[in-house]
Amino acid sequence: MKADMIIKNAKIFTSDKEKLQATALAVKDGKFVYVGDEAGLSEYEGAVTDLNGKFIMPSIIDSHVHVTIPVGFEYADMGERLEPNGKQEALDLMAKYIKENPGQERYRFILEKKFLNGDDIVKEDLDAICPDAELQIQEGEGHSIWVNSKILEKHGITDDTPDPIPGLAIYVRKDGHVTGNCIEGAAEIPIIFDSSMELTDEQVDAALQRWIDFSVEYGVSCVFDSGLPGDPKFHEKVYKRLKALDEQGKLPIYVDGSLVINAERDAKEGLEEVKRLHREYNTEHLKVHTMKIFMDGTQKIHTAAMVTPYVDVKTVGATAFSAEGICELLKGLNEAGLDLHLHTVGERASRTVLDGYEMAKKEMGDSLKVRVTCAHLEVQDDADLKRFAELGVIANYTPHWHAGDPSYSATWLGEERSKKQFRCKTVWDTGALVAWSSDNIVFGDFMTWNPYLGMEIGMTRKATAKTRTYEYARCDTVFPPEDERMNIEEMLLGFTINGAKQLGIESQKGSITVGKDADFLVFDKDLLTAEQEGFSYNKPTDVYFGGKKVK
């Protein structure tokens, strides 16, 4: 057989569990036609490339990122990052900046809540330092903002405005009055992106091109875009550009898209919207077949849904859907041939999903075909760890988060629970399907989009001086539990074939297997034996998508 490409003398990690290692491969018409040892190459004709022992693996599948949100943030300048010692210093720093930079329509700052030392900011504080312009502060984790009265008035938010999702996405109130603190995406995103629809196609394309260039450089061939809460119009605006780029042959990255549904009350209407997007966005590299739900929020602002109350505020958070609501939703998704992906940080968020799936499974049996993925899984109850494998629910972790000092989270989880987070190895060992991701909401310098950073921290559960990451993220001690560290083969499988299975594209992608798309990466270094600390500096020397060299 005449082949377009023949490679020999390579060390190939195939991600095909039937045959994990090989030394040779052949490609024709963008597909692998041979994978095995060099003796089998005798049946193929064409130029042969001797790789002299270089390492080959399938291209990366990043199964939980955000593509549309970062496009908005690309042009919604988040402004100055503040690291004050207390609330008054934060206000003083902002007042100083505003005085030195007069005439702006909106002043923007970034501030982590921990720097307020237990205090909170209200609109009256911001009105005092910025009465004549808009002022917005993005909380560092990206799940809440503080705004002054100018912005509240612009968006018609008053004391009588109902919360987008009661108990989860809310306008914080004190004595019945809105304070200017807006929590979770359904409440904050419409404010942050209130001028995003004014972006030109050229601006959107330029932001997307930066992401495409990064993906090609690092060998990411497929992503799951986990959606944009609170602003479906801008979300679709970006999808229109992705579709146009694909039709122009300018989108080499496969984007598995979604639509965010904010609350259980939106399920019926949301299902029809996902069906519409499924019909309208169906090009070679862009397909939409998944509903995304933010089941809960984050730990830092106590919106992650817990079984056991937070030790500091004694609350347990809330979920966007009940178990019964998940069950009913699965029936509709199943009928439509669509999938479900959920943000589940707290133990009660994932438990509610598992309970709802179990209800649907009991009712529907083997006819239930919906692929359900729970993402992040920061805190899980012991009783639920085996249920992913038992029910067939996919567990998706963001491993570059699996490092740091647990004493900070101990202030709200308690010491014991803070040392039992991100138990991915335990879930993996039950036989569950576990996939890895790099969840990000801004492009920036793409530091934490790097899948090899995720692999390093997944293996070490620490970020040392050798790690390619931000200085503030470094922590030399292993994040407990120490036995939750993964090995390199598990990291590679989770970023390749397991991601493909989550996306439902395992018949075409995710492993170096005969008949699949020839998406593969070449490295000078053998990743299977590479040092774990500093692994984040790895990057492919050659990248092939569909048998074509793109780098």
Side-chain angles (χ1 to χ4, degrees):
M1 176 191 292
K2 178 71 174 176
D4 300 325
M5 179 190 307
I6 300 173
I7 290 176
K8 72 173 186 178
N9 193 16
K11 183 171 184 178
I12 304 172
F13 182 83
T14 66
S15 289
D16 183 341
K17 294 180 182 179
E18 298 298 317
K19 183 169 51 178
L20 270 179
Q21 306 251 352
T23 59
L25 61 80
V27 174
K28 183 176 177 60
D29 298 330
K31 305 283 186 182
F32 294 113
V33 293
Y34 175 77
V35 180
D37 58 24
E38 293 175 17
L41 290 177
S42 60
E43 298 182 15
Y44 298 89
E45 298 177 3
V48 178
T49 300
D50 186 330
L51 283 188
N52 296 310
K54 288 185 177 181
F55 182 80
I56 291 179
M57 65 170 286
S59 62
I60 299 295
I61 298 177
D62 196 334
S63 50
H64 182 109
V65 301
H66 292 276
V67 177
T68 56
I69 292 178
V71 173
F73 276 127
E74 192 88 342
Y75 298 99
D77 177 25
M78 299 315 295
E80 297 293 300
R81 181 176 289 273
L82 307 175
E83 295 187 4
N85 182 15
K87 171 181 172 178
Q88 188 57 54
E89 185 172 321
L91 295 172
D92 291 343
L93 288 170
M94 288 186 286
K96 181 175 183 290
Y97 181 89
I98 293 167
K99 183 178 180 180
E100 293 174 351
N101 298 272
Q104 295 185 20
E105 182 179 347
R106 178 176 293 189
Y107 292 91
R108 294 178 170 90
F109 301 91
I110 304 173
L111 170 67
E112 287 201 32
K113 193 172 183 179
K114 66 181 181 181
F115 291 118
L116 297 178
N117 298 338
D119 286 332
D120 206 354
I121 291 173
V122 294
K123 65 180 187 296
E124 287 80 9
D125 299 320
L126 303 183
D127 293 344
I129 62 173
C130 188
D132 301 318
E134 299 170 0
L135 195 161
Q136 164 194 310
I137 310 169
Q138 174 79 55
E139 204 285 323
E141 198 174 25
H143 281 254
S144 65
I145 57 174
W146 295 272
V147 299
N148 67 352
S149 294
K150 285 280 187 182
I151 292 180
L152 293 176
E153 292 166 6
K154 179 177 181 177
H155 287 267
I157 299 169
T158 69
D159 295 341
D160 298 324
T161 303
D163 292 332
I165 309 174
L168 180 56
I170 64 172
Y171 305 116
V172 177
R173 290 169 166 82
K174 183 177 181 180
D175 300 328
H177 302 291
V178 290
T179 65
N181 188 193
C182 306
I183 289 180
E184 291 303 336
E188 62 166 344
I189 289 294
I191 293 174
I192 297 172
F193 287 176
D194 55 10
S195 61
S196 60
M197 290 302 290
E198 298 172 11
L199 295 178
T200 65
D201 290 349
E202 291 75 19
Q203 287 176 303
V204 173
D205 291 356
L208 290 172
Q209 190 60 53
R210 286 213 314 120
W211 164 72
I212 290 169
D213 291 344
F214 160 82
S215 299
V216 169
E217 183 178 1
Y218 281 79
V220 179
S221 65
C222 306
V223 300
F224 172 72
D225 172 47
S226 48
L228 171 58
D231 197 343
K233 289 184 179 180
F234 182 66
H235 181 65
E236 188 168 1
K237 178 184 179 75
V238 178
Y239 274 22
K240 287 178 180 178
R241 297 312 307 155
L242 286 168
K243 181 179 180 180
L245 290 173
D246 200 19
E247 291 172 340
Q248 296 164 22
K250 297 178 180 179
L251 180 64
I253 317 303
Y254 179 87
V255 180
D256 197 77
S258 70
L259 178 70
V260 173
I261 304 303
N262 289 319
E264 191 169 326
R265 64 174 182 266
D266 303 326
K268 186 175 181 180
E269 179 182 350
L271 180 56
E272 294 306 312
E273 270 296 281
V274 179
K275 289 179 183 178
R276 180 183 68 80
L277 295 183
H278 179 60
R279 293 190 302 268
E280 295 185 17
Y281 298 92
N282 186 21
T283 59
E284 181 182 3
H285 295 112
L286 174 63
K287 298 185 187 300
V288 179
H289 60 89
T290 302
M291 179 182 288
K292 163 70 184 298
I293 297 170
F294 283 85
M295 272 294 282
D296 65 344
T298 74
Q299 294 189 50
K300 287 183 182 179
I301 57 175
H302 301 91
T303 52
M306 299 296 185
V307 173
T308 304
Y310 294 99
V311 297
D312 52 350
V313 296
K314 311 303 181 186
T315 61
V316 293
T319 60
F321 276 66
S322 64
E324 292 77 12
I326 292 292
C327 178
E328 288 303 309
L329 177 60
L330 287 171
K331 295 176 188 177
L333 291 169
N334 196 67
E335 184 178 351
L338 303 172
D339 292 331
L340 180 62
H341 189 106
L342 307 101
H343 166 114
T344 49
V345 167
E347 58 207 358
R348 187 157 57 89
S350 52
R351 173 176 288 182
T352 302
V353 176
L354 293 168
D355 288 348
Y357 186 89
E358 190 169 22
M359 291 177 191
K361 189 71 174 175
K362 285 180 180 178
E363 185 173 337
M364 302 176 68
D366 292 340
S367 66
L368 179 59
K369 304 295 184 183
V370 181
R371 298 189 191 220
V372 177
T373 301
C374 289
H376 309 319
L377 299 168
E378 294 183 13
V379 183
Q380 294 169 272
D381 192 271
D382 292 350
D384 295 324
L385 293 172
K386 294 182 179 180
R387 296 179 70 198
F388 290 86
E390 292 170 350
L391 294 171
V393 173
I394 300 163
N396 187 297
Y397 290 88
T398 308
H400 76 82
W401 296 357
H402 300 184
D405 182 357
S407 63
Y408 181 37
S409 57
T411 61
W412 61 76
L413 287 179
E415 186 172 346
E416 181 180 353
R417 287 169 74 207
S418 70
K419 294 180 179 178
K420 294 175 64 177
Q421 298 181 76
F422 307 114
R423 290 188 283 174
C424 48
K425 178 65 171 174
T426 297
V427 174
W428 183 290
D429 287 345
T430 65
L433 182 69
V434 176
W436 310 121
S437 60
S438 65
D439 181 38
N440 284 276
I441 61 170
V442 295
F443 291 150
D445 59 9
F446 293 100
M447 179 79 78
T448 52
W449 288 73
N450 174 7
Y452 313 103
L453 171 64
M455 292 183 199
E456 176 177 339
I457 296 180
M459 292 187 287
T460 65
R461 289 177 77 92
K462 59 183 178 179
T464 71
K466 294 182 179 180
T467 307
R468 185 174 182 266
T469 191
Y470 301 114
E471 188 62 37
Y472 69 79
R474 300 191 192 284
C475 186
D476 287 336
T477 58
V478 176
F479 192 91
E482 291 191 11
D483 57 5
E484 295 295 330
R485 290 175 288 188
M486 311 298 294
N487 64 43
I488 182 57
E489 288 193 359
E490 292 164 339
M491 297 309 304
L492 294 178
L493 291 169
F495 265 120
T496 56
I497 187 61
N498 289 7
K501 289 178 179 178
Q502 178 194 306
L503 273 54
I505 55 175
E506 68 271 25
S507 64
Q508 308 125 272
K509 298 181 180 292
S511 66
I512 298 175
T513 303
V514 171
K516 291 192 180 184
D517 294 344
D519 300 338
F520 66 97
L521 315 176
V522 181
F523 295 80
D524 287 336
K525 184 181 293 185
D526 180 357
L527 297 191
L528 295 177
T529 59
E531 183 180 351
Q532 291 185 351
E533 289 189 39
F535 193 93
S536 46
Y537 280 93
N538 284 299
K539 191 165 62 172
T541 56
D542 301 289
V543 176
Y544 293 84
F545 292 164
K548 296 180 180 179
K549 187 173 181 179
V550 294
K551 173 193 172 185

